[in-house]
Amino acid sequence: MISTDGILITLALIILIGYVGDYLFRLTRVPEAVILMLIGVLLVPIGHIIPIKYVALLRELAPLFGDIALVMIMFDGGRKINFRTPISSSGLGLALATLDVAVPSVLLAVIMYSFFNWPLVYGAILGTILGETTTTIIVPLATRLVISDSVYNTIVVEATFNSVVSILLFYLLVILLTGQFSILSYTRYVISYFSIAVFLGLITGMLWLLALNWIRSTKAYTVTIGIAFLLYGVVDLLGGAAVVAVLIFAIIIGNHEIISEYMGLRLNINEDRLNIVEDELEFLVRTFFYVLIGMISVISLYYALLALAVTGILLAIRYIEIFSIIRDSKVSKLLFALAPRGLTAAVLASIFLNMNYQPYSNYVFLTTFMVIIFTNIVSSGLLPIIAEAKVKSEEQETK
């Protein structure tokens, strides 16, 4: 029997590791994801410090933390869809976000089928999982860069919404694994799957804005996160696309000023409180997943080489994607470097591992683990070089 003391100690250890990882990131500029996953590797596969029985229990908790992470990612992404954002920067960001996920999904499906005999759907799932570029690294970096507002908006929109696209496409592909496939039955299922979510997301969002107008309390807005979790659970229970419902709900909440002006509502909302709660929850979930992935990963030369090849493919795709769309070489170089994989990839890989479509669930998980490390290392190496070159170029122009 597993003692609750051991569980609490293990969870506390993971939280403390998160703070250590954050400190080391600020000290060394080594990406937090890499630090936390390597700590997880040192704790279990190499050091065997944490007993396997506790690691097994943490793995059982992964679906719960996965649902929490999905709600937070979709809620944060939806709130950043601002109806007042310039169409040029938001449109470019959305286009890049879609390409970030769609192209690797198609290309990796073909490559993994051709060279490793994977069924197409599993290669597509791998590409979809690896399509996101993590906001937890990119957005803080973007705020410190000396760039125009339009470039900043493009960076934030892309990094936010390729996670959203990745999650949506991931669940659409997983549907293909649940039973017999036919175009008619799949279409009916998808329509039903999304219609429930859209309806409940819209209704809940509007009703909650009305409730906030009636309650008139700054603290009430923090409860909005609780409503998002409730909505996710109800829609999932009804067999709908829970992540879509949360996304639509978040879009309504994020545009409360525009909607309240149109409807004549008087909302007293303090978004700083919500941001604080979001940041703390995201920190906990992010730490849990990165450390857990390190704990349950297998150190293998085969998966390291496979992940290295996949990383090369992802970078090649991004290079072609960025430089063919954006003509400004300074901006394109910067966007090319901003390509680390992170929380969304970790969460979706863990969720797929627990779905137990073996052996491919394990293949996808272990490959994702190594790709997260490699892409973070590449991005952290490229960014200082590009930033320095940009500064030198600007100095020469001023002369």
Side-chain angles (χ1 to χ4, degrees), residues 37-60:
M37 288 192 292
L38 290 179
I39 290 174
V41 170
L42 291 172
L43 287 174
V44 178
I46 294 177
H48 305 289
I49 296 171
I50 296 178
I52 296 298
K53 60 182 180 180
Y54 295 127
V55 177
L57 180 62
L58 290 175
R59 181 170 171 174
E60 290 179 7

Side-chain angles (χ1 to χ4, degrees), residues 121 170-182 186 357:
V121 66
F170 171 79
Y171 278 103
L172 281 174
L173 290 171
V174 167
I175 291 172
L176 297 176
L177 301 174
T178 59
Q180 294 295 322
F181 172 77
S182 71
Y186 185 72
Y357 290 105

